[in-house]
Amino acid sequence: MLSAAKSLVKHSVIRWLIRQEEQARRLQPLVPDLWSCGQNDEGHLTVNGISVKELADRYGTPLHVLHEQNLLSTYNEFLASFKAVYPEVVLATSYKTNPVPHVLKTLHAAGSHAEVISHFELWLALKLGVPGEKIILNGPGKGEEALRLAVEQRVRIINIDGPGEIAKIARFARELGVQQHVGLRVITSVGWSSQFGLSIESGAAESAFQQILDYPELIPGGLHLHLGTGIQNIETYTRAVQELIEFAGRLKTNYGIEIAVFDLGGGFGVPTVRGKTDWDTRMISLGYPSRQAIPGAVPRPADFARALSPLFERLGEMASSSAAAPTVILEPGRAITSSAQILLLSVIGKKRGPNEKQYLMVDGGKNITLPLEWETHQIFAASRLGRDSSILHDVFGPLCHPGDIIVKNQAFPELEEGDVLAIMDAGAYFIPNQMVFSNPRPPIVSVHNGGCTVVRKRETFEDIVQADVS
């Protein structure tokens, strides 16, 4: 009896949540327009007027489609929103979010700096022609090779994550006969506080600056924070930046350190992606779909900019009469690239499951869709838009693994082999999290000005084993 009562309560709460969200989503449904996409007369999803079904037929699936116009318009909107309230804002492209060279080059051509967290990413930025003064080196485990290369290339700033990096950077600078600008990643009272950075409250951050001052090869002048991912609470940002400014004031008063760079990281939420919670797990286990994003409920870049504007004004007031206003670096990451990429998968098999539910097998699995484990993304029946979507489906990948689930309890129209699904917002963390699991990794085609270009070839079987020695 008790178990039945608990189940009844769960179903009642879930149905209430679904009703509440359905009402909110009626005001702004998840339609292709939100990704600057469209629909043609055949009911196909289109990117810049090009049918994704045609792209799937031409290039094969799985296939990533880069929407260049969307990428640039999102970048420009974000930058304009913050420059409107504080002109000394710089955007830095987070390489770990989407390390595709064509994506990175497109953003650098628009004016973006490079934010890198490893030797590989630093190498890639330099290979793409990014000058040292436009590179920010972050990360908890940079390694000595990356630190030396960064000093050698005179990167704009190295944000120190722990005290062990201080002497190493100073040694490399001394050997190369240069002075290196450094900052410190700090932990505030909000946001991530595990293995990243040093705490302001505990005194560890201040102690690190005292150590930095022992080395004439180092120029301390930066504070860096990164609060998390998919943040939708503006108050989290304003509180952290307030604490950062107060700490900068103490550094200036107590040690004469002038903070010239405030690197506020990224983590801004994406309106069309929703992080899964325990409730979503319960809903899926009871036969309901995971909750989708409600675009209107997520703050836009302009909302964050307006809220931070009074704090940015204080930055200008803090600068001494001989110093320029501090630079604010933002690393929007997913907020720029997420909506600009779509992952296309083809249906390769179907069968009937329990309770008349349809089981669909598609040609890409968890090896290329890992973020779906912790996020809910809109998935369109891209070759059958506009059809009645009343049939519940469980969609699985081709891997011989019980966890290879793309989505469960999702309503689609009747689909057949050869139909195409489009996973939206595949531009953030899909590429860096993909892996070889019995299948090669997919290509990327960029759609631009009515044309399309392959910017990453499909991985071959030979590519997979080329580094192996037998």
Side-chain angles (χ1 to χ4, degrees), residues 118-392:
S118 69
H119 190 190
F120 161 70
E121 291 184 357
L122 176 57
W123 169 87
L124 180 57
L126 295 168
K127 185 176 177 63
L128 294 177
V130 183
E133 64 266 22
K134 289 190 174 183
I135 298 175
I136 298 96
L137 178 59
N138 292 327
K142 306 174 185 71
E144 291 199 10
E145 289 180 307
L147 289 173
R148 182 179 181 86
L149 181 59
V151 175
E152 183 181 274
Q153 295 295 322
R154 305 298 303 278
V155 301
R156 178 161 190 174
I157 197 164
I158 301 173
N159 284 317
I160 293 165
D161 192 84
E165 295 179 345
I166 297 171
K168 294 175 184 176
I169 299 170
R171 171 164 55 87
F172 296 139
R174 186 164 55 252
E175 292 172 358
L176 294 166
V178 299
Q179 283 188 303
Q180 175 62 51
H181 289 269
V182 295
L184 182 72
R185 179 167 179 172
V186 299
I187 299 170
T188 60
S189 65
V190 293
W192 283 342
S193 60
S194 53
Q195 73 266 40
F196 305 110
L198 296 170
S199 168
I200 294 175
E201 183 180 8
S202 71
E206 186 170 344
S207 176
F209 272 105
Q210 291 173 340
Q211 293 178 55
I212 292 169
L213 289 174
D214 290 336
Y215 297 95
E217 301 87 359
L218 304 182
I219 304 173
L223 286 174
H224 169 49
L225 56 79
H226 189 92
L227 303 175
T229 185
I231 295 171
Q232 300 179 12
N233 186 344
I234 293 178
E235 172 61 26
T236 299
Y237 258 92
T238 56
R239 183 172 176 181
V241 175
Q242 172 74 37
E243 293 176 19
L244 206 65
I245 291 173
E246 291 171 356
F247 183 53
R250 294 200 297 274
L251 291 175
K252 183 176 181 179
T253 300
N254 297 339
Y255 306 101
I257 297 173
E258 192 93 39
I259 298 299
V261 174
F262 288 82
D263 184 343
L264 306 184
F268 299 95
V270 175
T272 46
V273 173
R274 181 168 194 158
K276 290 180 179 177
T277 67
D278 290 342
W279 270 111
D280 293 294
T281 302
R282 294 188 188 102
M283 292 169 75
I284 293 169
S285 68
L286 294 171
Y288 299 95
S290 180
R291 292 175 295 172
Q292 294 281 358
I294 302 174
V298 179
R300 305 295 300 179
D303 300 322
F304 280 100
R306 281 192 297 270
L308 291 169
S309 178
L311 296 174
F312 289 161
E313 289 180 10
R314 287 186 57 187
L315 296 182
E317 296 168 359
M318 288 176 60
S320 63
S321 57
S322 59
T327 297
V328 170
I329 296 175
L330 297 173
E331 306 157 4
R334 68 168 64 241
I336 302 296
T337 61
S338 178
S339 64
Q341 210 158 292
I342 303 166
L343 177 58
L344 304 182
L345 304 175
S346 291
V347 177
I348 59 175
K350 59 182 291 189
K351 55 188 174 183
R352 187 74 65 182
N355 301 319
E356 298 304 305
K357 185 187 291 185
Q358 288 277 14
Y359 282 1
L360 290 181
M361 186 72 66
V362 293
D363 56 2
K366 274 292 174 63
N367 55 319
I368 56 174
T369 64
L370 195 59
L372 297 184
E373 186 74 23
W374 56 84
E375 296 172 348
T376 301
H377 289 236
Q378 175 66 9
I379 303 177
F380 288 117
S383 53
R384 295 182 185 265
L385 290 181
R387 303 285 185 91
D388 176 56
S389 298
S390 57
I391 305 170
L392 287 184

Side-chain angles (χ1 to χ4, degrees), residues 50-60 63 445 451-453:
I50 299 178
S51 162
V52 299
K53 180 66 167 67
E54 292 180 12
L55 292 173
D57 291 343
R58 188 189 315 177
Y59 298 103
L63 175 69
V445 60
C452 49
T453 306

Side-chain angles (χ1 to χ4, degrees), residues 24-50:
R25 198 172 294 110
R26 287 193 191 102
L27 300 174
Q28 193 177 16
L30 291 168
V31 294
D33 285 352
L34 292 173
W35 293 269
S36 301
C37 293
Q39 176 180 334
N40 65 14
D41 293 339
E42 297 176 87
H44 296 171
L45 182 71
T46 61
V47 177
N48 266 7
I50 299 178

